[in-house]
Amino acid sequence: RGLSPLMGLLELEGASLEAHLAQFGIGFEMLGYDLLRASGVTKTQADKKNWEGRVRAVTSVTASVLPFEEDHFVDLLRRNYSAVKHADNARPDRSEMHLACRQAVQVFRSWVAIRLGMSKRKLRVALDDDAVTSHIREIERVIARERKQSGRRA
């Protein structure tokens, strides 16, 4: 069930960043719920997990291979997903939205690779030399430059 929104992203060519973030937020929450249930967590316990707890059920599998910090990713996705989801929130920064989407792609790709049996060591090496990871690093540089120019903190 949780894979459907994430796989649906493959068909969202040309869709807005907001549409992608909404799908990622929904998809990771659903996948995390499914993973909790599959790990033996009762329905009642899984129902009590908040959005972040469900997302962490996914990222806990991938954290050791990701070329970025799990905590930063979860917070970045939460802030951007929440801002897109709730009309009364301030519009999120476009560069941060883009970064959240690219990192979400890497989390999902990593989760699938691990699920299919790829060794974490090989995956870590592959991700370090990956075009999406290079793009993530470029977006991070843009954000750092924007913050420096505007005087905002990281």
Side-chain angles (χ1 to χ4, degrees):
R1 180 180 144 199
L3 292 176
S4 183
L6 295 169
M7 294 303 294
L9 286 163
L10 300 174
E11 299 171 8
L12 281 180
E13 189 174 323
S16 67
L17 280 173
E18 290 85 355
H20 281 89
L21 280 166
Q23 285 292 104
F24 277 124
I26 293 165
F28 278 115
E29 181 178 19
M30 290 174 70
L31 179 58
Y33 181 87
D34 291 345
L35 293 175
L36 289 167
R37 293 290 287 132
S39 73
V41 171
T42 67
K43 182 179 182 332
T44 301
Q45 291 169 323
D47 288 347
K48 288 181 181 177
K49 290 280 187 187
N50 63 13
W51 182 89
E52 182 177 327
R54 292 174 183 177
V55 171
R56 284 189 184 278
V58 180
T59 60
S60 67
V61 174
T62 62
S64 65
V65 300
L66 296 173
F68 45 85
E69 293 295 319
E70 174 190 18
D71 289 342
H72 180 263
F73 166 72
V74 173
D75 180 62
L76 181 69
L77 184 61
R78 178 195 53 76
R79 285 185 289 109
N80 283 277
Y81 171 58
S82 181
V84 166
K85 181 179 163 188
H86 299 287
D88 59 335
N89 286 358
R91 183 183 179 113
D93 176 81
R94 300 291 294 174
S95 295
E96 285 202 357
M97 289 171 62
H98 202 178
L99 180 60
C101 284
R102 299 310 283 169
Q103 287 184 347
V105 166
Q106 289 301 67
V107 170
F108 183 59
R109 290 172 72 203
S110 299
W111 180 83
V112 170
I114 292 166
R115 187 79 173 192
L116 293 174
M118 185 173 193
S119 84
K120 288 186 176 185
R121 184 186 59 76
K122 286 183 180 179
L123 180 55
R124 197 173 16 259
V125 170
L127 287 173
D128 196 46
D129 193 37
D130 184 77
V132 175
T133 298
S134 295
H135 194 209
I136 286 169
R137 290 180 180 138
E138 177 58 30
I139 297 166
E140 289 171 335
R141 285 190 290 273
V142 167
I143 290 170
R145 192 169 43 249
E146 289 171 351
R147 286 184 176 151
K148 186 177 181 180
Q149 289 173 348
S150 70
R152 289 185 295 162
R153 291 187 348 190

